[in-house]
Amino acid sequence: MKKKIVLLGVVIFLSTCFFICKNERFIEQGYSFEAPQDWEKTYETGVLTFLKGDDYIFFMKEELKGRSDSQYVDYIKAQIESSSESTEILEEKREGRFYVFYTRILQDEDNFIVGTALIKGLNDMYFVVSLKTYETTFENTKPVFEKVYKTFKLR
Amino acid sequence: MKKKIGIALGSGGAKGYAHLGVLKVLEKNRIPIDYMSGASSGAIVASLYSLYGNIKKVERILTDFHKVRSLIDFSFRGGIFKGEKVFNFFDDIFQGKTFKDLKIPVCIIATDYISGKEVRIKKGSVAFALRASIAVPFVLELVRYKNKELADGGLSSPVPIRALKEMGADITIGVRIEDRFDFNRKNVYSIIERAFTILQHNLSEYELSEADILLDPEFEGYGFLGIHKVIKGEIEDAIKEGERVAKKEIKNIKELIIADKVSGIYKL
C-alpha cells in the first residue's frame, strides 16, 4: 500500500512537471500568460513580441491618463485605423475580463487581420494583447492568440 | 497622424551597393518608407526603389555587371566618360517617367557647379536628374540645365537629410557610405582624393547631426569611387555590410516608430 502511494506521488509529480514544461508561463512585470509554442520571442518591435513567420502577437501596457474604458477602446481602434488604408471590424465582444475585437485591415495591397484583447489592470493601467496576421493565416493563428489572452493574468 | 519615415542614401560610388543591403533589411522588417532622398549612387538606388517598391528587382538591375560595364563611353571633353550611355541606361529603365510616377516621393540631389549650391530635384525627368546627380567632376561630363552646370550631389549634400525634412519626414535615417578608411599615400591623385573625402566627410557630419538614425557601413578596398569593384562584379561585401549595419539598428528604428504612436506597431 505504501509503495502504491509513493508511486502515485511520483506519477503526480512527473505529470505536474510535464504539464508545467509543456505550458510554459511567461512572466512579465505586472502580468503572466501562457507563451505560444514555436513562436520566437523578441523585443525588436520595442515591446514584448512573439513572432512566427510574418505573424506576430505583442503586448502593451499603458496608463489611462484620465480616459474612460470606452475612450481607451476607441483610442486603440483609431491607432489600428491610422496604420492602414482601410479597416473593417469583423467581430466585437466582451468576454469575461476581456474586451475583444477583430479587424480586417488593408496595408500596401495586403489584407491582414488584427485581433485585440484589452484587459483592465490595477490602478490606471490597461493591457493590450494584439495579434497581427495575414488574412490567409488567420485560421491558424486565431487559436494561438485566444490561448495567449485567455491565460493572461495580472500579477 | 502616423509618423513619416524618410531615408537619405548617401553618395560614395560603388559603395552605394550597401544601400541595397540596408533596404533589404528595412523591407524584411516591414519598415514603411514614406520619403527617400539620394545623392549620386544613393540617388540611383533611391529612385529605382521608389519606381519598383521591391528591392530584389533593384538588385537584379544593378548587379547585371555585363550591362553596367557596357555603360563606359570615353570622352575627351569635361570628363573621362561622356555619360550618354549612362543616361540611355536610366532612360530605358524609367521610360520617360517623371517624379510624379514614382511610388515613393524622392528628392535627388545635384550640385550647381557655378554657384556651388545644392539643387534638390523633385520634378521632371527622373533619368535626367540621375544623370546630373552622378556627374562626378573629371569622371563624367557635367550636365547643362537652364543657366546651371549640374554636378554630383555629393559635392553639396552627401547624405541629404535636410531635403528629407523639407519633404515632411518626421523620422530620418541617414546612410553614409563615403570613403574614410582607405588612405594609401600612393601618388598625387590619392592625396587629392583624400582631401576631397575629408571635405565630404565633414559636410556629411554636419547634415547627419540632424538625423535620428545613422547607418555607417565600413568598407575596404573601394577607395573614392570603387569603379574597379563594379567592373569585376565584386560588390557582395558592400551589400552584406549594408545589411549588417541596418540589422544592428533595426530595434532602434522600430522603437522610434512606435515611440509615441501605438499605430506604428500595427504597421510593422
Side-chain angles (χ1 to χ4, degrees):
Chain A
M1 183 65 182
K2 204 175 177 182
K3 270 187 185 172
K4 279 184 182 171
I5 292 170
V6 170
L7 194 63
L8 186 66
V10 170
V11 170
I12 291 169
F13 175 73
L14 289 175
S15 305
T16 310
C17 290
F18 176 74
F19 183 78
I20 288 169
C21 293
K22 190 168 175 274
N23 300 290
E24 186 194 346
R25 279 199 80 76
F26 198 89
I27 299 167
E28 271 282 292
Q29 196 177 8
Y31 60 94
S32 71
F33 57 91
E34 207 169 285
Q37 287 176 37
D38 308 324
W39 289 51
E40 182 199 349
K41 188 188 91 181
T42 175
Y43 287 88
E44 269 191 13
T45 57
V47 292
L48 172 64
T49 304
F50 289 86
L51 286 169
K52 188 167 189 181
D54 288 327
D55 304 320
Y56 61 103
I57 294 172
F58 63 88
F59 299 79
M60 290 187 295
K61 55 179 176 179
E62 286 199 297
E63 287 177 20
L64 279 177
K65 290 180 182 163
R67 288 171 288 193
S68 67
D69 292 3
S70 63
Q71 280 173 332
Y72 189 70
V73 172
D74 289 344
Y75 161 74
I76 291 293
K77 281 181 184 168
Q79 295 299 312
I80 295 169
E81 197 175 334
S82 70
S83 74
S84 57
E85 289 119 59
S86 74
T87 55
E88 180 193 352
I89 302 258
L90 301 173
E91 192 185 343
E92 196 164 5
K93 59 187 175 185
R94 177 157 287 286
E95 200 176 327
R97 302 176 291 140
F98 308 103
Y99 190 84
V100 184
F101 59 92
Y102 291 93
T103 317
R104 178 187 287 121
I105 65 170
L106 176 69
Q107 284 177 347
D108 302 326
E109 297 172 7
D110 274 321
N111 277 319
F112 296 91
I113 304 288
V114 171
T116 314
L118 294 120
I119 308 113
K120 193 171 185 175
L122 296 171
N123 303 322
D124 205 28
M125 294 305 288
Y126 234 96
F127 293 87
V128 182
V129 186
S130 261
L131 161 78
K132 186 181 171 192
T133 180
Y134 278 104
E135 192 172 24
T136 48
T137 49
F138 180 55
E139 283 307 311
N140 300 327
T141 52
K142 189 183 182 189
V144 182
F145 169 62
E146 283 180 336
K147 194 170 181 184
V148 169
Y149 80 75
K150 283 176 181 171
T151 57
F152 188 95
K153 281 194 179 125
L154 297 169
R155 300 175 66 246
Chain B
M1 278 286 283
K2 182 176 96 65
K3 281 190 174 178
K4 303 280 186 188
I5 303 164
I7 184 162
L9 305 182
S11 64
K15 296 183 290 294
Y17 279 94
H19 296 317
L20 299 178
V22 169
L23 291 172
K24 268 186 194 180
V25 173
L26 297 186
E27 195 175 279
K28 194 177 171 205
N29 283 274
R30 284 183 258 144
I31 302 292
I33 298 173
D34 299 292
Y35 300 109
M36 298 185 92
S37 65
S40 202
S41 57
I44 297 174
V45 178
S47 52
L48 286 173
Y49 189 71
S50 64
L51 175 68
Y52 297 114
N54 176 327
I55 195 60
K56 278 190 184 150
K57 178 99 181 164
V58 179
E59 186 174 12
R60 218 173 295 136
I61 290 170
L62 295 179
T63 53
D64 181 353
F65 297 107
H66 177 71
K67 183 107 182 171
V68 172
R69 278 190 284 265
S70 73
L71 302 178
I72 294 170
D73 53 356
F74 288 103
S75 161
F76 299 99
R77 293 188 302 154
I80 301 169
F81 308 112
K82 271 191 227 165
E84 276 176 20
K85 286 187 180 176
V86 175
F87 175 78
N88 292 337
F89 172 68
F90 291 140
D91 205 34
D92 278 350
I93 293 170
F94 287 95
Q95 298 185 336
K97 285 193 168 67
T98 65
F99 283 77
K100 275 194 289 189
D101 302 315
L102 300 177
K103 288 179 179 161
I104 302 168
V106 175
C107 179
I108 289 178
I109 308 296
T111 304
D112 179 6
Y113 215 62
I114 297 167
S115 69
K117 287 189 176 157
E118 171 191 349
V119 179
R120 293 176 187 169
I121 310 174
K122 288 183 277 190
K123 57 183 181 182
S125 156
V126 181
F128 176 82
L130 280 179
R131 170 63 184 85
S133 186
I134 63 165
V136 180
F138 306 120
V139 178
L140 275 178
E141 287 180 11
L142 305 186
V143 175
R144 201 175 282 272
Y145 175 68
K146 292 184 181 171
N147 56 346
K148 293 182 172 72
E149 290 268 8
L150 297 179
D152 191 283
L155 294 172
S156 55
S157 181
V159 192
I161 295 291
R162 284 170 299 170
L164 278 182
K165 291 198 178 247
E166 187 194 72
M167 292 167 90
D170 303 303
I171 297 171
T172 53
I173 303 167
V175 190
R176 171 166 65 186
I177 55 160
E178 73 228 22
D179 178 35
R180 280 167 295 135
F181 303 99
D182 262 9
F183 180 50
N184 291 316
R185 201 191 179 101
K186 286 183 290 195
N187 48 39
V188 175
Y189 174 72
S190 69
I191 293 170
I192 295 169
E193 184 184 279
R194 186 64 181 163
F196 184 74
T197 52
I198 290 170
L199 287 170
Q200 195 177 43
H201 178 68
N202 286 310
L203 187 56
S204 67
E205 283 281 292
Y206 166 69
E207 277 214 86
L208 285 164
S209 64
E210 291 184 34
D212 296 299
I213 298 277
L214 165 63
L215 303 181
D216 205 5
E218 296 179 16
F219 303 93
E220 272 183 39
Y222 276 80
F224 179 54
L225 286 175
I227 291 173
H228 61 288
K229 287 279 207 177
V230 183
I231 289 170
K232 288 180 192 166
E234 295 172 353
I235 46 69
E236 195 53 35
D237 57 330
I239 299 177
K240 290 267 180 285
E241 179 61 4
E243 285 180 37
R244 184 189 69 81
V245 293
K247 278 180 189 163
K248 206 172 134 199
E249 285 295 325
I250 201 74
K251 183 170 180 279
N252 291 333
I253 294 169
K254 287 180 176 175
E255 276 178 0
L256 269 178
I257 297 171
I258 62 164
D260 62 0
K261 278 287 169 196
V262 173
S263 64
I265 198 162
Y266 291 105
K267 188 79 178 159
L268 296 178

